[in-house]
Amino acid sequence: MSSNTKHVSLDTLASLCKRRGFIFQTSEIYGGINGFWDYGPAGAELKRNIKDAWWRSMVQNRDDVVGLDSAIIQHPRTWEASGHVEGFTDPMVDCKKCKGRWRADQLPDTKCPQGGPHDYTEARKFNLMFETYVGAIHDENSKAYLRPETAQGIFAQFGNVMAVARQKIPFGIAQIGKAFRNEINPRNYTFRSREFEQMELEFFVKPGTDQQWHEYWVAERLKWYQTIGLPAEHLHQYVYKKEELAHYASACVDVMYDFPFGTQELEGIAARGDFDLRRHQEYSGKSMDYFDQETNEKFIPHVVEPSAGVDRIALAILCEAFTEEWVPTAEAAGQPAGNATRSIAGRPPIPAEAGKPPPQGYELRTVMRFSPRVAPVKVAVFPLLKNKPELVEKSRQVFEMLRSRWPAFYDQTGAIGRRYRRQDEVGTPFGITIDFDTLKDDTVTLRDRDTMKQVRLGVSELPAKLGELLS
Ligand code: GAP
């Protein structure tokens, strides 16, 4: 199925995300705050599924990676050692004409980003770390930072984890958690936010094996994206040139995705040498040496770091899943109004053409074609009519049976066609309808979100069938 990821406008996507409970502007009732977002019921599940898939593949299914959950606020020396206090800056200018504040390296050539002529101040460095104070006294001594990345919590705990993990190098420490950056211009919906979540692995290797492990992780990570529904043709690699690398790094590859606003980074995979551990050793006075019992060598391990953003992956999945198509109207399909089982009338959906009205006898359907692995709800259960207690009772029984195995949703409100459409927009792969035949022969209809085709099968067959379809 071809996707229209290049074509969905962020406004259209944002409107669906609000309507179906994926993403809301944070504190919307107070007018919002730029660069911060809330995830609604469907968005919270989507993010959980992304994080669970990452954790399963990076930690649970591997012998050589363990997990960590470190604090958001670390000792301020952490950020001196990491180089963030000194160097985590973007160049910033003020425009005296529009009074806007902009990132100097992202300005259009001629006009101010607001559209008119510009009159910029000299660029100055702006540190992206959010500052806070620990304790009752607010002064330089109590200043701390909200972490701008989860990675440093891992480096700072390298010794403690080594002592308990019974691991030998090569091995990794993984962490998922919030990170905060006071971005000068948050933009492209959730793509560049001020609060976001990272999924980072620090994979410690023997010096000299960096390149081989870097190649390994680039390949692994590219494969993983395909398992969550981002197809290879929309994924790209940006390989850093030597002169673009940090002085301590030997390689870096960004995994990029074709967003509607351009091909942009989802994840960076960097071979960072021993820079981080060496700096923490220097600043803390604690040894970061590893003793290799096989070779009797002592060394500071080198690190390969795949570092991904949950919110960017969620946005990519939302863009990829968003599909608009034309489906025969109920009347044209000879079915009761509001019944969306039209493809069985022999006319399959056709891709919608942007800006054009549907042809005669068709109407627009919006459907989120999530991979079942990340879909917020896997199966929805509907009684055909809500005012028939026998149908409702049977539907609740089927729902209770299924929800113990999969995230399921029960909906009895509104015409059945409209209930299907709601689930199409949430991206629920399967819908089950309990009708009057169910009461006679214990069969139900199972509707496929993408083809809208329905098959009839016994209630007792449902768990096995869904297990097969959702695997
Ligand atoms: N420890 C390395 C590190 O933090 P990064 O490239 O600055 O590297 C890693 O960040 C990932 O975190 C990015 O690839 C992106 O997915 C996510 N990320 C970074 N800044 C972000 C922002 N302002 N909003 C959303 N995600 C962001």
Side-chain angles (χ1 to χ4, degrees):
M1 180 62 58
S2 79
S3 148
N4 49 10
T5 172
K6 287 281 191 194
H7 306 298
V8 55
S9 86
L10 287 187
D11 286 346
T12 307
L13 186 68
S15 136
L16 178 132
C17 283
K18 182 171 178 192
R19 186 166 75 242
R20 292 300 169 217
F22 285 98
I23 301 173
F24 305 129
Q25 189 183 27
T26 206
S27 22
E28 191 190 270
I29 55 167
Y30 297 106
I33 167 165
N34 198 8
F36 298 90
W37 300 94
D38 293 343
Y39 289 80
E45 294 294 337
L46 175 65
K47 272 183 83 175
R48 258 170 88 93
N49 292 341
I50 295 168
K51 290 185 278 185
D52 286 351
W54 187 89
W55 195 259
R56 237 185 340 269
S57 120
M58 301 296 266
V59 184
Q60 290 170 343
N61 289 350
R62 299 188 64 101
D63 293 332
D64 55 359
V65 177
V66 295
L68 182 75
D69 186 358
S70 71
I72 285 174
I73 293 181
Q74 308 262 320
H75 193 289
R77 289 279 283 168
T78 308
W79 309 109
E80 291 172 30
S82 68
H84 283 84
V85 170
E86 195 191 341
F88 195 54
T89 58
D90 276 338
M92 179 180 75
V93 294
D94 289 311
C95 176
K96 293 184 205 159
K97 285 250 161 33
C98 78
K99 309 288 178 223
R101 184 159 277 181
W102 309 105
R103 248 178 85 164
D105 57 344
Q106 289 178 348
L107 291 171
D109 286 342
T110 46
K111 287 188 195 148
C112 167
Q114 287 288 33
H118 62 72
D119 180 6
Y120 298 133
T121 57
E122 280 291 303
R124 57 198 187 284
K125 284 182 173 179
F126 173 77
N127 195 300
L128 300 187
M129 282 197 296
F130 279 99
E131 292 176 5
T132 186
Y133 296 90
V134 175
I137 297 165
H138 289 197
D139 63 13
E140 272 305 298
N141 294 327
S142 62
K143 193 157 94 182
Y145 303 95
L146 303 191
R147 67 180 175 200
E149 60 173 27
T150 63
Q152 296 305 323
I154 298 179
F155 293 124
Q157 289 294 3
F158 172 72
N160 278 335
V161 177
M162 250 346 272
V164 298
R166 304 168 66 86
Q167 289 279 353
K168 286 193 190 131
I169 270 170
F171 97 106
I173 307 176
Q175 163 152 245
I176 299 178
K178 290 269 187 175
F180 302 82
R181 298 183 189 178
N182 199 359
E183 299 283 356
I184 299 169
N185 296 125
R187 58 185 180 160
N188 290 331
Y189 199 19
T190 57
F191 180 82
R192 189 172 301 287
S193 308
R194 288 177 165 141
E195 175 177 338
F196 53 95
E197 260 181 302
Q198 288 188 316
M199 306 186 288
E200 298 197 282
L201 168 69
E202 304 304 326
F203 195 75
F204 299 99
V205 304
K206 196 170 174 175
T209 62
D210 314 47
Q211 191 191 334
Q212 131 200 1
W213 281 109
H214 185 256
E215 284 167 13
Y216 168 84
W217 279 112
V218 171
E220 281 296 295
R221 298 300 303 139
L222 280 165
K223 270 191 269 167
W224 181 79
Y225 281 101
Q226 293 170 57
T227 69
I228 56 164
L230 296 179
E233 68 263 29
H234 293 156
L235 293 168
H236 308 276
Q237 295 178 51
Y238 178 81
V239 181
Y240 281 61
K241 300 182 192 74
K242 260 226 139 24
E243 61 274 18
E244 293 172 316
L245 292 172
H247 65 91
Y248 47 78
S250 60
C252 187
V253 169
D254 284 347
V255 178
M256 318 276 284
Y257 172 75
D258 290 331
F259 285 100
F261 44 86
T263 301
Q264 298 277 346
E265 174 188 337
L266 291 176
E267 164 163 357
I269 304 159
R272 299 175 58 85
D274 65 1
F275 176 80
D276 303 276
L277 287 182
R278 190 171 287 286
R279 291 273 291 201
H280 284 297
Q281 173 168 289
E282 195 185 313
Y283 278 69
S284 68
K286 303 284 186 312
S287 169
M288 295 289 168
D289 275 340
Y290 170 81
F291 181 68
D292 188 332
Q293 286 171 338
E294 274 156 36
T295 60
N296 272 344
E297 285 174 289
K298 214 164 72 169
F299 55 84
I300 295 184
H302 285 197
V303 76
V304 175
E305 176 197 66
S307 168
V310 182
D311 309 77
R312 283 194 188 173
I313 297 171
L315 183 59
I317 286 175
L318 287 163
C319 291
E320 187 67 42
F322 184 93
T323 311
E324 284 182 329
E325 58 191 21
W326 292 327
V327 293
T329 59
E331 299 70 37
Q335 292 176 9
N339 189 338
T341 63
R342 290 148 212 187
S343 66
I344 56 169
R347 282 197 283 161
I350 45 181
E353 290 176 46
K356 285 203 186 159
Q360 183 74 29
Y362 282 82
E363 64 189 9
L364 186 70
R365 171 174 95 124
T366 304
V367 53
M368 297 300 278
R369 292 189 194 276
F370 295 123
S371 143
R373 268 193 100 176
V374 293
V377 177
K378 313 297 181 201
V379 57
V381 179
F382 317 106
L384 185 62
L385 298 168
K386 74 167 176 189
N387 56 3
K388 296 284 175 217
E390 324 82 274
L391 292 182
V392 168
E393 192 192 337
K394 183 69 187 171
S395 302
R396 290 297 309 185
Q397 275 172 17
V398 172
F399 172 63
E400 292 300 335
M401 171 182 85
L402 296 177
R403 81 185 320 188
S404 62
R405 290 196 49 189
W406 297 283
F409 188 79
Y410 174 80
D411 187 6
Q412 61 177 30
T413 317
I416 188 74
R418 269 198 288 282
R419 282 181 267 164
Y420 288 150
R421 291 309 174 81
R422 273 204 292 269
Q423 291 307 311
D424 287 346
E425 290 199 352
V426 176
T428 305
F430 300 102
I432 290 164
T433 305
I434 279 70
D435 56 22
F436 292 106
D437 285 343
T438 314
L439 304 178
K440 286 187 230 139
D441 59 10
D442 214 34
T443 62
V444 294
T445 59
L446 176 65
R447 175 184 182 268
D448 179 293
R449 173 197 67 196
D450 295 343
T451 61
M452 303 199 305
K453 290 202 172 121
Q454 300 200 7
V455 290
R456 213 157 177 107
L457 75 172
V459 169
S460 61
E461 295 171 273
L462 272 176
K465 184 71 185 164
L466 281 171
E468 176 196 320
L469 293 169
L470 290 168
S471 66

